Coordinates of all heavy atoms in Angstrom, one line a residue:
M1 N -18.6 12.9 -49.0 CA -17.3 13.1 -48.3 C -17.4 13.0 -46.8 O -16.6 12.4 -46.2 CB -16.7 14.5 -48.7 CG -16.2 14.6 -50.1 SD -14.9 13.4 -50.5 CE -13.5 14.4 -50.2
G2 N -18.5 13.5 -46.3 CA -18.8 13.4 -44.9 C -18.8 12.0 -44.4 O -18.4 11.7 -43.3
R3 N -19.4 11.2 -45.2 CA -19.6 9.8 -44.8 C -18.2 9.1 -44.6 O -18.0 8.3 -43.7 CB -20.4 9.0 -45.8 CG -21.9 9.1 -45.5 CD -22.7 8.3 -46.5 NE -24.1 8.7 -46.5 CZ -25.0 8.2 -47.3 NH1 -24.6 7.4 -48.3 NH2 -26.2 8.6 -47.3
I4 N -17.3 9.4 -45.5 CA -16.0 8.8 -45.4 C -15.3 9.2 -44.1 O -14.7 8.4 -43.4 CB -15.1 9.1 -46.7 CG1 -15.8 8.5 -47.9 CG2 -13.7 8.7 -46.5 CD1 -15.3 9.1 -49.2
L5 N -15.4 10.5 -43.8 CA -14.8 11.0 -42.6 C -15.4 10.3 -41.4 O -14.7 9.9 -40.4 CB -15.1 12.5 -42.5 CG -13.8 13.4 -42.7 CD1 -14.2 14.9 -42.8 CD2 -12.9 13.2 -41.5
D6 N -16.7 10.2 -41.4 CA -17.4 9.5 -40.3 C -16.9 8.1 -40.1 O -16.6 7.6 -39.0 CB -18.9 9.4 -40.5 CG -19.6 10.7 -40.2 OD1 -18.9 11.6 -39.6 OD2 -20.8 10.9 -40.5
L7 N -16.6 7.4 -41.3 CA -16.1 6.0 -41.3 C -14.8 6.0 -40.6 O -14.5 5.1 -39.8 CB -16.0 5.5 -42.7 CG -16.8 4.2 -42.9 CD1 -17.1 4.1 -44.4 CD2 -15.9 3.0 -42.5
I8 N -13.9 7.0 -41.0 CA -12.6 7.0 -40.5 C -12.6 7.2 -38.9 O -11.9 6.6 -38.2 CB -11.7 8.1 -41.2 CG1 -11.4 7.7 -42.6 CG2 -10.4 8.4 -40.4 CD1 -11.0 8.9 -43.5
V9 N -13.5 8.1 -38.5 CA -13.6 8.4 -37.1 C -14.1 7.2 -36.4 O -13.6 6.8 -35.3 CB -14.6 9.6 -36.9 CG1 -14.9 9.8 -35.4 CG2 -13.9 10.9 -37.4
D10 N -15.1 6.5 -37.0 CA -15.6 5.3 -36.3 C -14.5 4.2 -36.2 O -14.4 3.6 -35.2 CB -16.7 4.7 -37.2 CG -18.1 5.4 -36.9 OD1 -18.1 6.2 -36.0 OD2 -19.0 5.1 -37.6
L11 N -13.7 4.1 -37.3 CA -12.6 3.1 -37.3 C -11.6 3.5 -36.2 O -11.1 2.6 -35.4 CB -11.9 3.1 -38.6 CG -12.2 1.9 -39.5 CD1 -11.8 2.2 -40.9 CD2 -11.6 0.7 -39.0
A12 N -11.3 4.8 -36.1 CA -10.3 5.2 -35.1 C -10.8 4.9 -33.7 O -10.1 4.4 -32.8 CB -10.0 6.7 -35.2
T13 N -12.1 5.2 -33.4 CA -12.6 5.0 -32.1 C -12.7 3.5 -31.8 O -12.4 3.1 -30.7 CB -14.0 5.6 -31.9 OG1 -14.8 5.4 -33.1 CG2 -14.0 7.1 -31.7
A14 N -13.0 2.7 -32.8 CA -13.1 1.3 -32.6 C -11.7 0.7 -32.3 O -11.5 -0.1 -31.4 CB -13.6 0.6 -33.9
L15 N -10.6 1.3 -32.9 CA -9.3 0.9 -32.6 C -8.9 1.2 -31.2 O -8.3 0.4 -30.5 CB -8.3 1.6 -33.6 CG -7.8 0.7 -34.7 CD1 -7.1 1.6 -35.8 CD2 -6.7 -0.3 -34.2
I16 N -9.2 2.4 -30.8 CA -8.9 2.9 -29.4 C -9.6 2.0 -28.4 O -9.0 1.5 -27.4 CB -9.3 4.4 -29.2 CG1 -8.3 5.3 -30.1 CG2 -9.2 4.8 -27.8 CD1 -8.9 6.7 -30.3
V17 N -10.9 1.7 -28.6 CA -11.6 0.9 -27.7 C -11.0 -0.5 -27.7 O -10.9 -1.1 -26.6 CB -13.1 0.8 -28.1 CG1 -13.9 -0.3 -27.4 CG2 -13.8 2.2 -27.9
A18 N -10.7 -1.1 -28.8 CA -10.1 -2.4 -28.9 C -8.8 -2.4 -28.1 O -8.5 -3.4 -27.4 CB -9.8 -2.8 -30.3
R19 N -8.0 -1.4 -28.3 CA -6.7 -1.3 -27.6 C -6.9 -1.2 -26.1 O -6.2 -1.9 -25.3 CB -5.9 0.0 -28.1 CG -4.5 -0.3 -28.3 CD -3.8 0.9 -28.8 NE -3.4 0.8 -30.2 CZ -2.5 1.6 -30.8 NH1 -2.0 2.6 -30.1 NH2 -2.2 1.4 -32.0
M20 N -7.9 -0.4 -25.6 CA -8.2 -0.3 -24.2 C -8.6 -1.6 -23.6 O -8.3 -2.0 -22.5 CB -9.3 0.8 -24.0 CG -8.7 2.2 -23.9 SD -10.0 3.5 -24.1 CE -11.0 3.2 -22.6
L21 N -9.5 -2.3 -24.4 CA -10.0 -3.6 -23.9 C -8.8 -4.6 -23.8 O -8.7 -5.3 -22.8 CB -11.0 -4.2 -24.9 CG -12.4 -3.7 -24.7 CD1 -13.3 -4.0 -25.9 CD2 -13.0 -4.3 -23.4
A22 N -7.9 -4.6 -24.8 CA -6.8 -5.5 -24.7 C -5.9 -5.2 -23.5 O -5.5 -6.1 -22.8 CB -5.9 -5.3 -26.0
G23 N -5.7 -3.9 -23.2 CA -5.0 -3.5 -22.1 C -5.6 -3.9 -20.8 O -5.0 -4.4 -19.9
A24 N -7.0 -3.8 -20.7 CA -7.7 -4.2 -19.5 C -7.6 -5.7 -19.3 O -7.4 -6.2 -18.2 CB -9.2 -3.8 -19.7
V25 N -7.7 -6.5 -20.4 CA -7.6 -7.9 -20.3 C -6.2 -8.3 -19.8 O -6.0 -9.2 -18.9 CB -7.9 -8.6 -21.7 CG1 -7.5 -10.1 -21.7 CG2 -9.4 -8.4 -22.0
K26 N -5.2 -7.7 -20.4 CA -3.8 -7.9 -20.0 C -3.6 -7.6 -18.5 O -3.0 -8.4 -17.7 CB -2.8 -7.1 -20.8 CG -2.2 -7.8 -22.0 CD -1.1 -7.0 -22.6 CE -0.9 -7.4 -24.1 NZ -0.1 -6.4 -24.7
G27 N -4.1 -6.5 -18.1 CA -4.0 -6.0 -16.7 C -4.7 -7.0 -15.8 O -4.3 -7.3 -14.7
F28 N -5.9 -7.5 -16.2 CA -6.7 -8.5 -15.4 C -5.8 -9.7 -15.2 O -5.8 -10.3 -14.1 CB -7.9 -8.8 -16.1 CG -8.7 -9.9 -15.5 CD1 -9.5 -9.6 -14.4 CD2 -8.7 -11.2 -15.9 CE1 -10.2 -10.6 -13.7 CE2 -9.4 -12.2 -15.3 CZ -10.2 -11.9 -14.2
F29 N -5.2 -10.2 -16.2 CA -4.4 -11.5 -16.0 C -3.2 -11.2 -15.2 O -2.7 -12.1 -14.5 CB -4.0 -12.0 -17.4 CG -5.2 -12.8 -18.0 CD1 -5.8 -12.3 -19.2 CD2 -5.7 -13.9 -17.4 CE1 -6.9 -13.0 -19.8 CE2 -6.7 -14.6 -18.0 CZ -7.3 -14.2 -19.1
R30 N -2.6 -10.0 -15.3 CA -1.4 -9.7 -14.5 C -1.7 -9.6 -13.0 O -1.0 -10.1 -12.2 CB -0.8 -8.4 -15.0 CG 0.7 -8.4 -15.0 CD 1.2 -7.1 -15.5 NE 1.0 -7.0 -17.0 CZ 0.9 -5.8 -17.6 NH1 1.0 -4.7 -17.0 NH2 0.7 -5.8 -18.9
S31 N -2.9 -9.0 -12.7 CA -3.2 -8.8 -11.3 C -4.0 -10.0 -10.8 O -4.4 -10.0 -9.6 CB -4.0 -7.5 -11.1 OG -5.2 -7.6 -11.9
G32 N -4.4 -10.9 -11.6 CA -5.2 -12.1 -11.2 C -4.4 -13.0 -10.3 O -3.3 -12.7 -9.9
P33 N -5.0 -14.1 -9.9 CA -4.3 -15.1 -9.0 C -3.0 -15.5 -9.6 O -2.8 -15.8 -10.8 CB -5.3 -16.2 -8.9 CG -6.4 -16.0 -9.9 CD -6.3 -14.5 -10.3
S34 N -2.0 -15.6 -8.7 CA -0.6 -15.8 -9.1 C -0.3 -17.3 -9.3 O 0.7 -17.7 -9.7 CB 0.4 -15.2 -8.2 OG 0.2 -15.7 -6.9
R35 N -1.3 -18.2 -8.9 CA -1.0 -19.6 -9.0 C -0.8 -20.1 -10.4 O -0.2 -21.1 -10.6 CB -2.1 -20.4 -8.3 CG -3.5 -20.2 -8.9 CD -4.6 -20.6 -7.9 NE -5.9 -20.0 -8.2 CZ -6.9 -20.7 -8.7 NH1 -6.7 -22.0 -9.0 NH2 -8.0 -20.1 -8.9
F36 N -1.3 -19.3 -11.4 CA -1.1 -19.7 -12.8 C 0.4 -19.5 -13.2 O 0.9 -20.2 -14.1 CB -2.0 -19.0 -13.7 CG -3.4 -19.3 -13.4 CD1 -4.3 -18.3 -12.9 CD2 -3.9 -20.6 -13.7 CE1 -5.6 -18.7 -12.7 CE2 -5.3 -20.9 -13.4 CZ -6.1 -19.9 -12.9
T37 N 1.0 -18.4 -12.7 CA 2.4 -18.1 -13.1 C 3.4 -18.4 -12.1 O 4.6 -18.2 -12.3 CB 2.4 -16.6 -13.4 OG1 1.9 -15.9 -12.3 CG2 1.7 -16.2 -14.7
S38 N 3.0 -18.9 -10.9 CA 3.9 -19.2 -9.8 C 5.0 -20.2 -10.2 O 6.0 -20.3 -9.5 CB 3.2 -19.6 -8.5 OG 2.5 -20.8 -8.8
H39 N 4.7 -21.0 -11.2 CA 5.7 -22.1 -11.5 C 6.9 -21.5 -12.2 O 8.0 -22.0 -12.1 CB 5.0 -23.1 -12.5 CG 3.8 -23.7 -11.9 ND1 4.0 -24.6 -10.8 CD2 2.5 -23.6 -12.1 CE1 2.7 -25.0 -10.5 NE2 1.9 -24.4 -11.3
T40 N 6.7 -20.4 -12.9 CA 7.8 -19.8 -13.7 C 8.5 -18.7 -12.9 O 9.7 -18.5 -13.1 CB 7.3 -19.2 -15.0 OG1 6.1 -18.5 -14.8 CG2 7.0 -20.4 -16.0
T41 N 7.8 -17.9 -12.1 CA 8.4 -16.8 -11.4 C 9.2 -17.3 -10.2 O 8.8 -18.3 -9.5 CB 7.4 -15.8 -10.9 OG1 6.3 -16.5 -10.2 CG2 6.8 -15.0 -12.0
A42 N 10.3 -16.7 -9.9 CA 11.3 -17.2 -8.9 C 10.7 -16.9 -7.5 O 10.6 -17.9 -6.7 CB 12.6 -16.4 -9.0
A43 N 10.2 -15.7 -7.2 CA 9.7 -15.4 -5.9 C 8.4 -14.7 -6.0 O 8.3 -13.7 -6.7 CB 10.7 -14.5 -5.1
P44 N 7.4 -15.2 -5.3 CA 6.1 -14.5 -5.3 C 6.2 -13.1 -4.6 O 6.9 -12.9 -3.7 CB 5.2 -15.4 -4.5 CG 6.1 -16.3 -3.7 CD 7.4 -16.4 -4.4
P45 N 5.5 -12.1 -5.2 CA 5.6 -10.8 -4.7 C 5.1 -10.6 -3.2 O 5.5 -9.7 -2.5 CB 4.7 -9.9 -5.6 CG 3.8 -10.9 -6.3 CD 4.6 -12.2 -6.3
R46 N 4.3 -11.5 -2.8 CA 3.8 -11.4 -1.4 C 4.9 -11.5 -0.4 O 4.8 -10.8 0.7 CB 2.7 -12.5 -1.2 CG 1.3 -12.1 -1.7 CD 0.3 -13.1 -1.3 NE -0.9 -12.9 -2.1 CZ -1.9 -13.7 -2.1 NH1 -1.9 -14.8 -1.4 NH2 -3.0 -13.4 -2.8
E47 N 5.8 -12.3 -0.6 CA 7.0 -12.5 0.3 C 7.7 -11.2 0.5 O 8.2 -10.8 1.5 CB 7.9 -13.6 -0.1 CG 7.2 -15.0 0.0 CD 6.9 -15.4 1.4 OE1 7.8 -15.2 2.3 OE2 5.9 -16.0 1.7
E48 N 7.9 -10.5 -0.7 CA 8.7 -9.3 -0.7 C 7.9 -8.2 0.2 O 8.5 -7.5 0.9 CB 8.9 -8.7 -2.1 CG 9.9 -9.5 -2.8 CD 10.0 -9.1 -4.3 OE1 9.9 -7.9 -4.6 OE2 10.1 -10.0 -5.1
Q49 N 6.6 -8.2 0.0 CA 5.8 -7.2 0.7 C 5.9 -7.5 2.2 O 6.0 -6.5 3.0 CB 4.4 -7.3 0.3 CG 4.0 -6.4 -0.9 CD 2.6 -6.4 -1.2 OE1 1.8 -7.2 -0.7 NE2 2.2 -5.6 -2.2
R50 N 5.9 -8.7 2.6 CA 6.0 -9.0 4.0 C 7.3 -8.5 4.7 O 7.3 -8.0 5.8 CB 5.8 -10.6 4.2 CG 5.4 -10.9 5.6 CD 5.5 -12.4 5.8 NE 4.4 -13.1 5.2 CZ 4.3 -14.4 5.1 NH1 5.3 -15.2 5.5 NH2 3.3 -15.0 4.4
T51 N 8.4 -8.7 4.0 CA 9.7 -8.3 4.5 C 9.7 -6.7 4.5 O 10.3 -6.2 5.4 CB 10.8 -8.8 3.7 OG1 10.6 -8.7 2.4 CG2 11.1 -10.3 4.1
A52 N 9.1 -6.1 3.6 CA 9.1 -4.6 3.5 C 8.3 -4.0 4.6 O 8.7 -3.0 5.2 CB 8.6 -4.1 2.2
T53 N 7.2 -4.6 5.0 CA 6.4 -4.1 6.1 C 6.5 -4.9 7.3 O 5.6 -5.2 8.0 CB 4.9 -4.0 5.6 OG1 4.6 -5.3 5.1 CG2 4.7 -3.0 4.5
A54 N 7.7 -5.4 7.6 CA 8.0 -6.2 8.8 C 7.7 -5.3 10.0 O 7.9 -4.1 10.0 CB 9.4 -6.7 8.8
G55 N 7.3 -6.0 11.1 CA 7.0 -5.2 12.3 C 5.5 -5.1 12.5 O 4.8 -5.4 11.6
E56 N 5.1 -4.7 13.7 CA 3.7 -4.6 14.0 C 3.2 -3.2 13.8 O 4.0 -2.3 13.8 CB 3.5 -5.1 15.4 CG 3.8 -6.5 15.7 CD 3.7 -6.8 17.2 OE1 2.6 -6.8 17.7 OE2 4.8 -7.0 17.8
T57 N 1.9 -3.1 13.8 CA 1.2 -1.8 13.8 C 0.6 -1.6 15.2 O -0.2 -2.4 15.6 CB 0.2 -1.7 12.7 OG1 0.8 -2.1 11.5 CG2 -0.4 -0.3 12.6
V58 N 1.1 -0.6 15.9 CA 0.6 -0.4 17.3 C 0.0 1.0 17.4 O 0.3 1.9 16.6 CB 1.7 -0.6 18.3 CG1 2.0 -2.0 18.5 CG2 2.9 0.3 18.0
R59 N -0.8 1.2 18.4 CA -1.5 2.5 18.6 C -0.7 3.5 19.4 O -0.1 3.1 20.5 CB -2.8 2.2 19.3 CG -3.8 3.3 19.0 CD -5.2 2.9 19.4 NE -6.1 4.0 19.2 CZ -7.4 3.9 19.2 NH1 -7.9 2.7 19.3 NH2 -8.2 4.9 19.1
D60 N -0.6 4.7 18.9 CA 0.1 5.8 19.6 C -0.9 6.1 20.8 O -2.0 6.5 20.6 CB 0.2 6.9 18.7 CG 0.8 8.2 19.3 OD1 0.7 8.4 20.5 OD2 1.5 8.9 18.5
P61 N -0.4 6.0 22.1 CA -1.3 6.2 23.2 C -1.7 7.7 23.4 O -2.6 8.0 24.1 CB -0.5 5.7 24.4 CG 0.9 5.7 24.0 CD 0.9 5.5 22.5
V62 N -1.0 8.6 22.7 CA -1.3 10.0 22.9 C -2.4 10.5 21.9 O -3.4 11.0 22.3 CB 0.0 10.9 22.7 CG1 -0.3 12.3 22.7 CG2 1.0 10.5 23.8
C63 N -2.2 10.2 20.6 CA -3.1 10.7 19.6 C -4.0 9.6 19.1 O -5.0 9.9 18.3 CB -2.4 11.5 18.5 SG -1.4 10.4 17.5
G64 N -3.7 8.3 19.4 CA -4.6 7.2 18.9 C -4.3 6.8 17.5 O -5.0 5.9 17.0
M65 N -3.3 7.3 16.9 CA -2.9 7.0 15.6 C -2.2 5.7 15.5 O -1.5 5.3 16.5 CB -2.0 8.1 15.0 CG -1.7 8.1 13.6 SD -0.7 9.5 13.2 CE 0.3 8.8 11.9
F66 N -2.3 4.9 14.5 CA -1.6 3.6 14.3 C -0.3 3.8 13.6 O -0.2 4.5 12.6 CB -2.5 2.6 13.5 CG -3.6 2.0 14.4 CD1 -4.9 2.6 14.4 CD2 -3.3 1.0 15.2 CE1 -5.9 2.1 15.2 CE2 -4.3 0.4 16.0 CZ -5.6 1.0 16.0
V67 N 0.7 3.3 14.3 CA 2.1 3.5 13.7 C 2.8 2.2 13.6 O 2.6 1.3 14.4 CB 2.9 4.5 14.6 CG1 2.5 5.9 14.3 CG2 2.9 4.1 16.0
S68 N 3.7 2.1 12.7 CA 4.5 0.8 12.5 C 5.6 0.9 13.6 O 6.2 1.9 13.8 CB 5.1 0.8 11.1 OG 6.2 -0.2 11.1
T69 N 5.9 -0.3 14.2 CA 6.9 -0.3 15.2 C 8.3 0.0 14.7 O 9.2 0.3 15.4 CB 6.9 -1.7 15.9 OG1 7.0 -2.7 14.9 CG2 5.6 -1.9 16.7
E70 N 8.4 -0.2 13.4 CA 9.7 0.1 12.8 C 10.0 1.5 12.5 O 11.1 2.0 12.5 CB 9.8 -0.7 11.4 CG 10.0 -2.2 11.7 CD 10.8 -2.9 10.6 OE1 10.8 -2.4 9.5 OE2 11.5 -3.9 10.9
L71 N 8.9 2.3 12.3 CA 9.0 3.7 11.9 C 8.7 4.6 13.1 O 8.9 5.8 13.0 CB 8.0 4.0 10.7 CG 8.2 3.2 9.5 CD1 6.9 3.3 8.6 CD2 9.4 3.5 8.7
S72 N 8.2 4.0 14.2 CA 7.7 4.8 15.3 C 8.9 5.4 16.1 O 10.0 4.9 16.0 CB 6.8 4.0 16.1 OG 7.6 3.0 16.8
H73 N 8.5 6.3 17.0 CA 9.5 6.8 18.0 C 9.1 6.0 19.2 O 8.0 6.1 19.8 CB 9.2 8.3 18.2 CG 9.5 9.2 17.1 ND1 10.7 9.9 17.0 CD2 8.8 9.4 15.9 CE1 10.7 10.6 15.8 NE2 9.6 10.2 15.2
S74 N 10.0 5.1 19.6 CA 9.7 4.2 20.7 C 10.3 4.8 22.0 O 11.3 5.4 22.1 CB 10.2 2.8 20.4 OG 11.6 2.9 20.1
L75 N 9.6 4.4 23.1 CA 10.0 4.8 24.4 C 9.9 3.6 25.4 O 8.8 3.0 25.4 CB 9.1 5.9 24.9 CG 9.2 6.4 26.4 CD1 10.6 7.1 26.6 CD2 8.1 7.2 26.8
R76 N 11.0 3.3 26.0 CA 10.9 2.2 27.0 C 10.3 2.7 28.3 O 10.8 3.7 28.9 CB 12.3 1.6 27.2 CG 12.3 0.2 27.7 CD 13.7 -0.4 27.6 NE 13.9 -1.1 26.3 CZ 13.5 -2.3 26.1 NH1 12.8 -3.0 26.9 NH2 13.7 -2.8 24.9
W77 N 9.2 2.1 28.7 CA 8.5 2.7 29.8 C 8.0 1.6 30.8 O 7.2 0.8 30.4 CB 7.3 3.5 29.3 CG 6.7 4.4 30.4 CD1 5.6 4.1 31.1 CD2 7.2 5.7 30.8 NE1 5.4 5.1 32.0 CE2 6.3 6.1 31.9 CE3 8.3 6.5 30.5 CZ2 6.5 7.3 32.5 CZ3 8.5 7.7 31.1 CH2 7.6 8.1 32.1
H78 N 8.6 1.5 31.9 CA 8.3 0.5 32.9 C 8.3 -0.9 32.4 O 7.3 -1.7 32.5 CB 7.0 0.8 33.6 CG 7.0 2.1 34.4 ND1 7.8 2.3 35.5 CD2 6.4 3.3 34.1 CE1 7.6 3.6 35.9 NE2 6.8 4.2 35.1
G79 N 9.3 -1.3 31.7 CA 9.5 -2.6 31.1 C 8.8 -2.9 29.8 O 9.1 -3.8 29.1
T80 N 7.9 -1.9 29.4 CA 7.3 -2.1 28.1 C 7.8 -1.0 27.1 O 8.2 0.0 27.5 CB 5.7 -2.0 28.2 OG1 5.4 -0.8 28.8 CG2 5.2 -3.2 29.0
V81 N 7.6 -1.3 25.8 CA 8.0 -0.3 24.8 C 6.8 0.3 24.2 O 5.9 -0.4 23.7 CB 8.9 -1.0 23.7 CG1 9.3 0.0 22.7 CG2 10.1 -1.6 24.4
L82 N 6.7 1.6 24.3 CA 5.6 2.3 23.7 C 6.0 2.9 22.4 O 7.2 3.3 22.2 CB 5.1 3.4 24.7 CG 4.6 2.9 26.0 CD1 4.6 4.0 27.1 CD2 3.1 2.4 25.8
H83 N 5.1 3.1 21.5 CA 5.4 3.6 20.2 C 4.6 4.8 19.9 O 3.3 4.8 20.1 CB 5.1 2.5 19.1 CG 6.0 1.3 19.3 ND1 7.3 1.3 18.8 CD2 5.9 0.2 20.0 CE1 7.9 0.1 19.1 NE2 7.0 -0.5 19.8
F84 N 5.2 5.8 19.4 CA 4.6 7.1 19.1 C 4.8 7.5 17.6 O 5.8 7.2 17.1 CB 5.1 8.2 20.0 CG 4.9 7.9 21.5 CD1 5.9 7.2 22.2 CD2 3.8 8.2 22.2 CE1 5.7 6.9 23.5 CE2 3.6 7.9 23.5 CZ 4.6 7.2 24.2
C85 N 3.8 8.3 17.1 CA 3.9 8.7 15.7 C 5.0 9.8 15.5 O 5.6 9.9 14.5 CB 2.6 9.2 15.2 SG 2.1 10.7 15.9
S86 N 5.2 10.5 16.6 CA 6.2 11.6 16.5 C 6.9 11.9 17.8 O 6.5 11.4 18.8 CB 5.5 12.9 16.0 OG 4.6 13.3 17.0
E87 N 8.0 12.6 17.7 CA 8.7 13.0 18.9 C 7.8 13.8 19.8 O 7.9 13.7 21.1 CB 9.9 13.9 18.5 CG 11.0 14.0 19.5 CD 12.0 12.9 19.6 OE1 12.3 12.3 18.5 OE2 12.4 12.5 20.7
E88 N 6.9 14.6 19.3 CA 6.0 15.4 20.0 C 5.1 14.6 20.9 O 4.9 14.9 22.1 CB 5.2 16.2 19.0 CG 4.6 17.5 19.6 CD 3.7 18.2 18.6 OE1 4.0 18.3 17.5 OE2 2.6 18.6 19.1
C89 N 4.6 13.5 20.3 CA 3.7 12.7 21.1 C 4.5 12.0 22.2 O 4.0 11.8 23.3 CB 3.0 11.6 20.2 SG 1.6 12.3 19.3
L90 N 5.7 11.6 21.9 CA 6.5 10.9 22.9 C 6.8 11.8 24.1 O 6.6 11.4 25.2 CB 7.8 10.5 22.2 CG 8.8 9.5 22.9 CD1 9.6 8.8 21.9 CD2 9.7 10.3 23.9
E91 N 7.1 13.0 23.8 CA 7.4 14.0 24.8 C 6.2 14.3 25.7 O 6.2 14.4 26.9 CB 8.0 15.3 24.2 CG 9.5 15.2 23.8 CD 10.4 14.7 24.9 OE1 10.3 15.2 26.0 OE2 11.3 13.9 24.6
R92 N 5.1 14.4 25.0 CA 3.8 14.7 25.6 C 3.5 13.6 26.6 O 3.0 13.8 27.7 CB 2.7 14.9 24.6 CG 1.7 15.9 25.1 CD 0.4 15.9 24.3 NE 0.6 16.5 23.0 CZ -0.4 16.6 22.1 NH1 -1.6 16.0 22.3 NH2 -0.2 17.2 20.9
Y93 N 3.7 12.4 26.2 CA 3.4 11.2 27.0 C 4.3 11.2 28.2 O 3.9 11.0 29.4 CB 3.5 9.9 26.2 CG 3.1 8.7 27.1 CD1 1.8 8.3 27.1 CD2 4.1 8.0 27.8 CE1 1.4 7.2 27.9 CE2 3.7 6.9 28.5 CZ 2.4 6.5 28.6 OH 2.1 5.4 29.3
R94 N 5.6 11.5 28.0 CA 6.6 11.4 29.1 C 6.3 12.5 30.1 O 6.4 12.2 31.3 CB 8.0 11.7 28.5 CG 9.0 10.9 29.3 CD 10.5 11.1 29.0 NE 10.8 11.7 27.7 CZ 11.8 11.2 27.0 NH1 12.5 10.1 27.3 NH2 12.2 11.8 25.9
K95 N 5.9 13.7 29.6 CA 5.5 14.7 30.6 C 4.3 14.4 31.4 O 4.3 14.6 32.6 CB 5.3 16.0 29.8 CG 6.6 16.8 29.6 CD 6.4 18.0 28.7 CE 7.7 18.6 28.2 NZ 7.5 19.6 27.2
S96 N 3.3 13.9 30.7 CA 2.0 13.6 31.4 C 2.2 12.4 32.4 O 1.5 12.4 33.4 CB 0.9 13.3 30.4 OG 1.2 12.1 29.7
A97 N 3.1 11.5 32.0 CA 3.3 10.3 32.9 C 4.1 10.7 34.1 O 3.9 10.1 35.2 CB 3.9 9.2 32.1
S98 N 5.0 11.6 34.0 CA 5.9 11.9 35.1 C 5.3 13.0 36.0 O 5.8 13.2 37.1 CB 7.3 12.4 34.5 OG 7.1 13.5 33.7
A99 N 4.3 13.7 35.5 CA 3.7 14.8 36.3 C 2.9 14.2 37.4 O 2.3 13.2 37.3 CB 2.8 15.6 35.4
Ligands
ZN101 ZN1 0.9 10.7 17.9

């Protein structure tokens, strides 16, 4: 009787492993190079990403953190626009610059 149970367990594990492998293979082809599927898809996902992350990444002069120009707190300062990660950094820069 024990042998039959072992067989069932073996079969079950084999099924799980096979399913995982199939999923991995599917995932590989999905994340693989898009040139194989680009003929059928309307818009490549890279274009969407570019529009979503439009703008530059600049350095916050106060804390040195990199911030997106679209999400940053910007300050026009002597003809140039400075970008800060937070209102706090902006105020700190303004105070130190005017002092
Ligand atoms: Zn900052």
Side-chain angles (χ1 to χ4, degrees):
M1 286 303 264
R3 272 186 197 172
I4 294 162
L5 250 169
D6 280 352
L7 233 156
I8 290 163
V9 170
D10 278 355
L11 256 165
T13 41
L15 254 167
I16 290 161
V17 168
R19 224 178 248 196
M20 272 165 67
L21 274 169
V25 168
K26 261 188 204 169
F28 174 80
F29 280 115
R30 214 176 292 153
S31 61
S34 57
R35 58 200 160 107
F36 296 114
T37 50
S38 59
H39 301 290
T40 47
T41 47
R46 274 184 196 174
E47 290 295 318
E48 284 172 42
Q49 271 186 352
R50 198 188 286 170
T51 47
T53 52
E56 295 172 68
T57 307
V58 289
R59 202 165 175 166
D60 180 328
V62 175
C63 67
M65 190 179 147
F66 283 95
V67 286
S68 165
T69 53
E70 289 213 329
L71 304 165
S72 70
H73 295 256
S74 53
L75 171 72
R76 203 165 269 281
W77 194 261
H78 298 295
T80 55
V81 181
L82 294 160
H83 297 275
F84 303 90
C85 70
S86 62
E87 197 82 35
E88 204 186 313
C89 281
L90 193 154
E91 285 303 319
R92 212 193 283 179
Y93 183 87
R94 212 186 343 224
K95 272 177 196 168
S96 68
S98 59

